[in-house]
Amino acid sequence: MKNYAYFLLAFAFAGCVENKQQEQQADSTVQTVEKNNEPAPAAPVTPDATPEKIIRERAQGTVTLLDSANGRPIVQVNDNVQLEAGIPRKGWASTLVTTELNDTQTEGQLLKKGSPIIADGKTVGKVLEDVEIEMTFKNDKGVNTGVFHAAVQQNKIKTGTVIETVLAKYLQEHTGRTLPDMQSFIKQFQLEALNINKPYKEYYNYESAADDPSPGYRTVLVFHQDKLIGVVDSRTLQLAGAKHYQLDRDYHGYFFTDTDEKLRKEYITKFNQFVNSAD
């Protein structure tokens, strides 16, 4: 009887535990359902990231510039320093080096070995041997500034700052070619609007002054009715879905295959007439 009582007590206790567990489980389920029915907190609104503005190419790591292709080292610049590199030929490009000057350097038109290369008041490189300054002027802050030529290897330039490379990648990643689709690219490379070849609208930048002190266009985005129909460039590029046409003054035209033939021919005629009359 005692054993039977113990059995009943144990059975009753087990039933209480089981009921308690079921109640806890039910309570947990109710809480979960109630929690799931609560309105989700609003996701924080974050502004779109503004891409870094790119005016010119930038150095890839610490770069030694030479006096000519395969020539003598004359200057060393730090990573990400802006370079005004010209059209590359056989892996090399001419580039302009700009530095702020003191009065002695301005008067003597000379940068002595060991002199710092200065941009916006900060040292961004150094001269490795005496260099003659080719031109001086006052920058937009009124600081004496000097310019001289050097040579840079093409593989020492950050590919993410070369407009032709970035444009080809951008158009692969963005399927749309409307003007709104292209706005972030236009803003990143600070392209200027041009409306002289109506009904076409163009956005362009200039070629480097390293090759020509009066440079012409470098990259021109060509729109018709706010749709990108082609690109004109002083350099070659790989543009998916576009066909290459040789234009006057050694310019290259890349027009998308879905562009109306009449529009393409009309624009090429307008562009050739303009560049031939520019001088």
Side-chain angles (χ1 to χ4, degrees):
M1 184 70 180
K2 186 175 182 180
N3 290 338
Y4 182 69
Y6 283 147
F7 176 77
L8 289 177
L9 183 61
F11 182 79
F13 180 76
C16 291
V17 171
E18 183 178 357
N19 289 338
K20 185 65 174 177
Q21 289 175 338
Q22 290 175 346
E23 290 173 0
Q24 290 175 341
Q25 184 177 6
D27 183 61
S28 175
T29 303
V30 171
Q31 290 178 0
T32 302
V33 171
E34 290 176 348
K35 186 174 182 180
N36 288 339
N37 288 335
E38 292 178 0
V45 178
T46 56
D48 292 335
T50 302
E52 180 186 3
K53 294 178 182 179
I54 302 173
I55 307 298
R56 291 295 176 192
E57 292 89 348
R58 294 181 179 272
Q60 176 67 57
T62 301
V63 176
T64 299
L65 307 178
L66 311 184
D67 65 338
S68 61
N70 299 306
R72 303 187 328 274
I74 58 172
V75 65
Q76 187 179 80
V77 295
N78 299 341
D79 178 54
N80 212 43
V81 167
Q82 184 171 292
L83 298 172
E84 189 167 345
I87 298 174
R89 295 176 177 84
K90 297 182 179 180
W92 290 85
S94 177
T95 185
L96 293 178
V97 181
T98 303
T99 180
E100 295 172 8
L101 305 173
N102 58 36
D103 291 340
T104 301
Q105 292 168 334
T106 303
E107 293 174 5
Q109 298 287 292
L110 182 69
L111 290 171
K112 292 187 176 181
K113 180 179 179 180
S115 297
I117 300 296
I118 301 174
D120 295 325
K122 298 179 181 179
T123 297
V124 297
K126 63 181 178 180
V127 176
L128 302 178
E129 65 174 49
D130 291 359
V131 173
E132 291 186 8
I133 300 168
E134 300 172 23
M135 181 182 69
T136 59
F137 62 94
K138 288 187 181 293
N139 64 19
D140 56 0
K141 297 178 181 178
V143 178
N144 289 328
T145 304
V147 178
F148 60 92
H149 278 82
V152 60
Q153 284 183 287
Q154 190 176 0
N155 61 7
K156 299 298 184 181
I157 294 173
K158 289 186 175 181
T159 57
T161 64
V162 178
I163 187 171
E164 291 83 6
T165 303
V166 178
L167 176 60
K169 183 178 180 182
Y170 186 93
L171 288 172
Q172 286 180 336
E173 296 175 348
H174 297 74
T175 55
R177 302 201 320 263
T178 66
L179 185 54
D181 292 327
M182 299 300 298
Q183 277 299 331
S184 62
F185 178 85
I186 290 170
K187 291 178 181 178
Q188 184 178 26
F189 281 90
Q190 298 291 280
L191 303 184
E192 299 180 49
L194 190 66
N195 290 303
I196 61 173
N197 287 323
K198 294 180 179 179
Y200 305 93
K201 182 181 291 185
E202 298 152 306
Y203 288 85
Y204 72 98
N205 65 355
Y206 283 111
E207 186 52 87
S208 167
D211 294 328
D212 186 342
S214 299
Y217 296 138
R218 174 169 174 174
T219 301
V220 183
L221 306 185
V222 184
F223 290 85
H224 182 263
Q225 295 181 349
D226 286 346
K227 181 180 180 181
L228 183 68
I229 63 171
V231 179
V232 173
D233 207 290
S234 58
R235 312 185 187 198
T236 58
L237 65 142
Q238 302 295 322
L239 208 56
K243 185 177 179 181
H244 174 263
Y245 297 86
Q246 188 62 52
L247 309 186
D248 291 355
R249 297 293 186 94
D250 292 327
Y251 279 100
H252 304 274
Y254 299 88
F255 290 87
F256 295 99
T257 54
D258 61 0
T259 299
D260 183 87
E261 187 75 2
K262 182 180 178 181
L263 292 177
R264 178 189 63 77
K265 289 182 177 179
E266 181 183 64
Y267 177 79
I268 289 177
T269 299
K270 285 178 176 288
F271 181 85
N272 284 339
Q273 288 175 345
F274 176 76
V275 294
N276 286 323
S277 64
D279 291 340

